[in-house]
Amino acid sequence: MFDNDFDYITPDYDNEYEEPETWTLISALDRVLSVVLEERLSKKFWEKAKNPLDYLTKELDMTGIQVAILAILLENDEPMTWKGIAKCVRCSSLSIMKYSDEMDDLVSRRWLVHRNVREFGNYSRGFSLAHGVMSALRENRSFVPEKIDGLELGTFVNKVMRYVKTYVRSMETDLPDDEDWMLMMCEANSHLPICREALRYKDNLHDLLFFMMAVCNYAEWGGTEDEGLNLEELEGIFPNNDFVDRMKRRLRQGTHRLFEDGLIEHACMDGMAFPECFVLTRKCKEELLGGLEPQEKKNKVVGQRSQGVIFHTGIKEKAMFYNTAEQQQIERLTNLLSQENFLAIQQRLTDQGMRKGFACLFYGAPGTGKTETVLQIARRTGRDILQVDIADLRDKFVGESEKNIKAVFECYREACRRSEVTPILFFNEADAIISKRTENVEMSVEKMDNAIQNIILQELENLDGILIATTNLTSNLDKAFERRFLFKVEFRMPEVPVKQLLWSSMLQGITDEEARQLAVNYNFSGGQIENIARQRAIDFILSGKQVSLEDIEGYCNAETIRGNSNTRSAIGFR
């Protein structure tokens, strides 16, 4: 990160620098950054950085200046103003601002987004990398922004809901940035009645954002007791100033122009209007959102009986270490599930009269990374996850469990129809539903389990999307399920080189030799090694001093419960 208190100057390594035979996006950007910090935007910069610039301008479809500023923003990893960019290359703000058109081009192509930056006690307009740019470049591919124009109503509302949940409610961005994003979305989809209505309030973006948040609230909770946008929630988003105070007062009094235009009204509680809570009017729902079914209604089972939706934008990147065999399988599967390849493969399978669904089984010992791998695949391929809690689908009433599992797949089909990118249906710890079916059943519970399994088997036959199941047990796997899983990936206990990498990554500060020693001496999974790392962190917080290798070995010895074994004792007499 660049420090505002001093100039960042890269040492001159040119005498020993040798260009690689082939460039990657990251290596080329790194070279451009080194040269631009050393030579600024002088003639020498263009001469010394010619080869990586030629490569990047072609691969990224950018000008040389755009590439240079992109490299600076990547290194800084925080929003930067014109003044901040100018300071990095040691020139005046006016000198760098002559490239405004090229920066505006990157914003319009959505490589960059505007962000407010606090400078000298005030906020100034700045630039930041759009979400996904860093990941794309790290994977050596050009960034392709998510499609936002010409959307259908359901897709548009889903995108807005995702943004509101991820950024607005979590306050990860500044209010003006959220308002600008919402305005951009409405302008890009002005063919939708709801967007045309929202654009009537573009003269006051507070009102536009408030209205779209009310739309999101209805889209998620409409028809349930949780429907309604609470003023207390808005007070955590909008600033405290006279203008906003007047807005809130008019909302309470019902004199705000959204009331006058018949778009919102006070929520009704026990037959009385509640002035602190706001809902869309029936007219707004029917005329502007006609045909939109609220998520909690269409997604009843997934919303109430499972852990719900995991948005790929909220999944944090995590370094994963696999044995060679697993690494190859995971990379192949991730490549197949990339949006471009996935659609092409599905079309080819359809043309050949084959089933186009992808059912995958991850199996192996606990703590070997099965669940986290699902999350990282979703993040890398830009797919949301509908995670199902198997235990919560079971119901004590006859026939209800079967209805619940059918509803899960119906909800998933609906989610696929409404999503631009096919989501992943995730059955975590699915041992109970893929085990061998019971023959000659007599107990009602056994009948219910068999009925659930038969339903899932049929659904797998008709699957058009992506299903991933994880299990710790495969010895009791029903043969019918084994045939229906197209990809089966076994997660074995990590080998010594992988364990060494795990120890080094989770216990920062230990030497390579110490990591190797721990890897050789302890046959731990990644989950167990993470437990050791957490114990070490806790002890550091409590004592304030780093623990020794001997202490770490003590944690390791205590990690496995004495007498516990993965093999069961035989029953009966010996």
Side-chain angles (χ1 to χ4, degrees), residues 108 281 366 380 426 558 566:
S108 67
T281 62
R380 289 179 60 184
F426 180 31
N566 290 331

Side-chain angles (χ1 to χ4, degrees), residues 68-94:
I69 294 179
L70 175 66
I72 292 171
L73 289 171
L74 280 165
E75 175 68 14
N76 194 51
D77 197 29
E78 286 187 0
M80 297 183 74
T81 62
W82 286 113
K83 184 177 292 185
I85 297 171
K87 191 164 187 176
C88 291
V89 294
R90 290 167 288 160
C91 68
S92 68
S93 298
L94 291 177

Side-chain angles (χ1 to χ4, degrees), residues 192-219:
L192 298 174
I194 193 68
C195 293
R196 289 198 298 272
E197 191 68 28
L199 289 173
R200 292 177 54 200
Y201 303 95
K202 64 187 299 183
D203 61 316
N204 183 345
L205 294 183
H206 285 4
D207 291 346
L208 186 149
L209 178 61
F210 173 78
F211 176 53
M212 294 309 298
M213 289 179 67
V215 169
C216 292
N217 178 271
Y218 166 71

Side-chain angles (χ1 to χ4, degrees), residues 386-445:
L386 275 67
Q387 180 167 321
V388 180
D389 188 331
I390 304 299
D392 283 353
L393 293 175
R394 297 176 180 272
D395 198 294
K396 63 182 179 180
F397 295 106
V398 176
E400 289 301 311
S401 298
E402 294 89 326
K403 291 180 182 178
N404 290 342
I405 196 67
K406 287 180 180 178
V408 165
F409 283 96
E410 181 56 41
C411 292
Y412 177 66
R413 281 190 287 272
E414 182 65 22
C416 290
R417 284 193 292 268
R418 292 174 178 266
S419 302
E420 184 180 342
V421 178
T422 302
I424 296 170
L425 182 60
F426 180 31
F427 285 83
N428 199 18
E429 298 182 358
D431 312 76
I433 60 171
I434 61 176
S435 58
K436 292 179 181 177
R437 285 166 289 177
T438 305
E439 298 180 359
N440 303 319
V441 295
E442 295 181 1
M443 300 291 291
S444 59
V445 173

Side-chain angles (χ1 to χ4, degrees), residues 65-277:
I65 285 294
Q66 289 174 329
V67 168
I69 294 179
L70 175 66
I72 292 171
L73 289 171
L74 280 165
E75 175 68 14
N76 194 51
D77 197 29
E78 286 187 0
M80 297 183 74
T81 62
W82 286 113
K83 184 177 292 185
I85 297 171
K87 191 164 187 176
C88 291
V89 294
R90 290 167 288 160
C91 68
S92 68
S93 298
L94 291 177
S95 297
I96 201 75
M97 286 177 69
K98 66 184 179 183
Y99 303 113
S100 294
D101 289 344
E102 296 185 74
M103 291 294 280
D104 289 342
D105 176 60
L106 289 180
V107 172
S108 67
R109 292 167 57 190
R110 291 191 286 127
W111 278 76
L112 303 182
V113 292
H114 286 298
R115 288 285 183 264
N116 283 334
V117 182
R118 192 172 182 83
E119 288 185 332
F120 308 110
N122 297 312
Y123 283 100
S124 301
R125 205 62 162 157
F127 302 94
S128 180
L129 297 176
H131 179 79
V133 170
M134 181 76 79
S135 297
L137 296 175
R138 198 160 43 227
E139 295 167 9
N140 201 41
R141 57 184 175 84
S142 183
F143 172 64
V144 179
E146 188 178 24
K147 176 180 171 62
I148 64 167
D149 59 323
L151 303 178
E152 295 181 352
L153 176 61
T155 305
F156 167 79
V157 173
N158 284 339
K159 287 185 183 293
V160 173
M161 283 176 60
R162 183 184 304 165
Y163 184 90
V164 169
K165 285 183 177 181
T166 305
Y167 298 108
V168 179
R169 288 178 178 168
S170 61
M171 292 179 284
E172 291 189 9
T173 61
D174 293 315
L175 179 64
D177 301 324
D178 298 326
E179 292 173 338
D180 285 350
W181 185 90
M182 202 67 72
L183 175 62
M184 176 185 69
M185 285 294 292
C186 291
E187 289 179 335
N189 295 280
S190 57
H191 62 286
L192 298 174
I194 193 68
C195 293
R196 289 198 298 272
E197 191 68 28
L199 289 173
R200 292 177 54 200
Y201 303 95
K202 64 187 299 183
D203 61 316
N204 183 345
L205 294 183
H206 285 4
D207 291 346
L208 186 149
L209 178 61
F210 173 78
F211 176 53
M212 294 309 298
M213 289 179 67
V215 169
C216 292
N217 178 271
Y218 166 71
E220 183 173 12
W221 302 105
T224 72
E225 61 182 13
D226 293 316
E227 181 181 3
L229 196 59
N230 198 298
L231 191 59
E232 184 177 344
E233 179 182 358
L234 297 178
E235 289 174 347
I237 298 171
F238 290 96
N240 292 318
N241 56 44
D242 291 341
F243 182 85
V244 175
D245 286 343
R246 288 194 299 272
M247 170 187 169
K248 295 174 183 175
R249 185 167 59 252
R250 289 168 181 163
L251 286 169
R252 288 190 181 96
Q253 295 172 349
T255 58
H256 191 278
R257 60 177 178 165
L258 287 169
F259 277 86
E260 295 173 351
D261 293 339
L263 298 177
I264 66 170
E265 61 188 5
H266 288 130
C268 182
M269 296 186 179
D270 298 325
M272 299 184 64
F274 184 56
E276 297 290 319
C277 191

